[in-house]
Amino acid sequence: MAHLLVVESWVGSMSRLLPRAIREGGHEFTFLTRDLHHYLRSVPEGTAHPLLGARNVVTAETNDVDALLPEVERLHSVLGFDGVITSCDYYLPTAARIAARLGLPGPGPEAVENACRKDATRRVLADAGLPGPRFAVHGEWADLARAAREIGYPLVAKPVDLCAGMYVRRIEHEAELAELFRLLADFPVNARGQRRTPAVLLEEFLDGPEVSVETVSYAGAVHMVGVTDKSVGGAPAFVETGHMFPAALSLADLEAAEQTTLGALKALGLTDAVVAHTEIKLTSAGPRVVEVNPRPAGNRITELVRHVTGIDLAAAFVDVALGRRPDLGRTDTGLRSAAIGFLVPDREGTLEALGGGRLAEETGVLEVQLAEPGKAVKAAGSNNEYLGHVMAGDPEGLGARDRVERLLVGLRAGLVIR
């Protein structure tokens, strides 16, 4: 039995998937957080809180890494950790620094920090000669406006250190850029109390569909698990409205996406002890990296992969954090594709009603999760405002997305927001 130190977590599905993977692997974990109450508001009624499975729950200031490291060393001397892990983007660099300090498995701290900073990722990939969009990053308005004119509108503007698509926007002209600049200036601290970097990344707008490549790196080798497609809505925001695994792409596009991902992971130094979710745009000029996330995919993509291949990416995440060879053997699950579609609100108000009472009984449905009436709703500007999702599989081929879209039609028809 191994003992993992879990440093913070998301409060969504990975907060349940990760403890489950630790438990099913025969291990135990100590949970480290600065604010336990952050996790006490998020468990669906009738389910056990995932932190009830922790061997210990320890409170410490996880936002002050320099002060945290000696404290974790003291914990390690008493409790004895075999690995360090987190599912939260904001604490991936912290977990990497702790693992390095304790001499435990994990990707290099600099590699993780560069992947988690969107501007640093762009610089590393450009220095490695990987093709990418023209980009610029500035914290002052005059510099930003000048760079935007040089790149040319439309362009994409994004904060360098947020996630879930927060404040990522397609910008058509300078007035829109000025508005986004003001919004970000009024958002100096992220949801975990960490002070943000006051810089905006500008990127040339890329055409074409977006996919993600799911990988597991162990012992210096990058293993391709597969490619997931993505649908996006909510313009000018980029809100993920659905995914299907595997992506319905030509063999040439699949190989191009995988090779581009491999190049990015090698350039960043993410070729050992990491599960990664790399987003790629298949542009008319060839594949381009959007982001490299050194952790398993969110939005239930890990479950799409598991339903189709039998590969459990949460379990692989635990294995590589412990320095163990992950089980990436595929099994016949009976499904050829699996898809998820999200119910994305386009206006604010209060949720009054939602269709789909017998949705879980429909053919091929794997999951249904819907918000309860009375929920406060706002128009989606990121991946944080969903009203629920439907997941379905197809045993015959790549029909899972069409099946999910048909089910979502009924949900939307019954949606009432006042």
Side-chain angles (χ1 to χ4, degrees):
M1 176 183 288
H3 186 193
L4 278 148
L5 176 64
V6 178
V7 183
E8 305 286 3
S9 176
W10 284 124
V11 295
S13 62
M14 191 54 70
S15 70
R16 295 182 290 279
L17 291 174
L18 188 55
R20 184 212 71 195
I22 294 171
R23 182 182 67 253
E24 291 181 356
H27 313 308
E28 58 185 0
F29 70 98
T30 288
F31 189 71
L32 184 66
T33 179
R34 67 189 296 267
D35 181 13
L36 184 59
H37 291 90
H38 184 83
Y39 300 92
L40 301 181
R41 307 184 293 266
S42 60
V43 179
E45 186 176 348
T47 64
H49 198 291
L51 294 185
L52 290 174
R55 172 177 161 184
N56 310 286
V57 176
V58 179
T59 301
E61 183 45 81
T62 54
N63 286 351
D64 185 346
V65 182
D66 291 335
L68 181 65
L69 290 174
E71 190 165 347
V72 169
E73 281 185 314
R74 289 191 292 271
L75 285 173
H76 181 51
S77 68
V78 176
L79 300 176
F81 303 121
D82 302 294
V84 186
I85 199 168
T86 182
S87 67
C88 181
D89 296 61
Y90 297 136
Y91 294 98
L92 290 166
T94 301
R97 285 189 60 183
I98 291 173
R101 180 72 164 255
L102 300 184
L104 297 175
E110 183 179 3
V112 174
E113 288 170 5
N114 285 336
C116 290
R117 276 284 299 252
K118 296 176 176 65
D119 54 333
T121 299
R122 283 280 171 243
R123 293 189 184 103
V124 170
L125 299 187
D127 289 346
L130 294 179
R134 289 175 295 158
F135 71 94
V137 59
H138 295 289
E140 299 295 331
W141 167 247
D143 297 329
L144 196 68
R146 182 178 62 254
R149 291 191 293 270
E150 292 172 354
I151 292 173
Y153 295 97
L155 50 76
V156 175
K158 58 181 72 171
V160 299
D161 54 4
L162 291 176
C163 52
M166 292 182 67
Y167 294 101
V168 179
R169 298 289 185 269
R170 172 175 168 144
I171 302 295
E172 300 289 345
H173 47 73
E174 190 168 292
E176 290 182 352
L177 182 59
E179 175 61 20
L180 180 64
F181 185 78
R182 286 191 294 270
L183 287 173
L184 288 172
D186 292 336
F187 194 73
V189 177
N190 68 25
R192 295 309 184 97
Q194 297 169 334
R195 185 154 293 277
R196 294 190 48 254
T197 299
V200 179
L201 175 63
L202 303 178
E203 296 176 350
E204 175 188 8
F205 182 78
L206 299 175
D207 63 1
E210 186 172 332
V211 299
S212 63
V213 183
E214 323 309 334
T215 57
V216 179
S217 298
Y218 174 75
V222 178
H223 303 271
M224 296 290 166
V225 176
V227 180
T228 310
D229 77 5
K230 177 187 297 188
S231 56
V232 178
F238 295 86
V239 181
E240 296 177 3
T241 59
H243 304 275
M244 185 173 77
F245 183 90
L249 297 174
S250 68
L251 182 59
D253 280 341
L254 287 171
E255 290 179 345
E258 290 181 347
Q259 287 304 306
T260 300
T261 296
L262 181 60
L265 293 174
K266 286 182 175 179
L268 286 162
L270 294 172
T271 58
D272 192 28
V274 64
V275 177
H277 168 72
T278 303
E279 297 171 340
I280 302 288
K281 271 271 195 178
L282 299 174
T283 78
S284 55
R288 300 289 186 266
V289 176
V290 177
E291 290 182 5
V292 179
N293 300 283
R295 43 79 177 160
N299 268 355
R300 305 294 283 172
I301 291 174
T302 57
E303 293 305 277
L304 300 183
V305 171
R306 184 178 62 82
H307 281 300
V308 175
T309 68
I311 295 172
D312 188 337
L313 288 173
F317 193 33
V318 170
D319 285 336
V320 298
L322 292 170
R324 302 183 179 193
R325 182 177 298 278
D327 181 4
L328 301 178
R330 295 172 183 260
T331 59
D332 184 359
T333 65
L335 292 179
R336 296 296 172 262
S337 66
I340 187 169
F342 300 99
L343 192 59
V344 181
D346 59 2
R347 59 192 183 279
E348 65 178 25
T350 301
L351 179 63
E352 189 169 291
L354 195 56
R358 301 178 66 86
L359 204 56
E361 300 173 13
E362 295 281 348
T363 301
V365 170
L366 301 170
E367 285 183 15
V368 177
Q369 182 177 317
L370 302 174
E372 295 291 334
K375 175 182 173 64
V377 178
K378 66 177 182 177
S382 71
N383 300 333
N384 293 325
E385 287 88 34
Y386 299 135
L387 294 179
H389 70 257
V390 179
M391 185 187 295
D394 180 8
E396 304 297 331
L398 299 176
R401 175 181 288 285
D402 289 341
R403 185 168 294 179
V404 164
E405 286 301 321
R406 288 195 297 270
L407 295 170
L408 283 174
V409 168
L411 276 178
R412 295 186 188 109
L415 176 62
V416 179
I417 298 175
R418 301 292 189 193

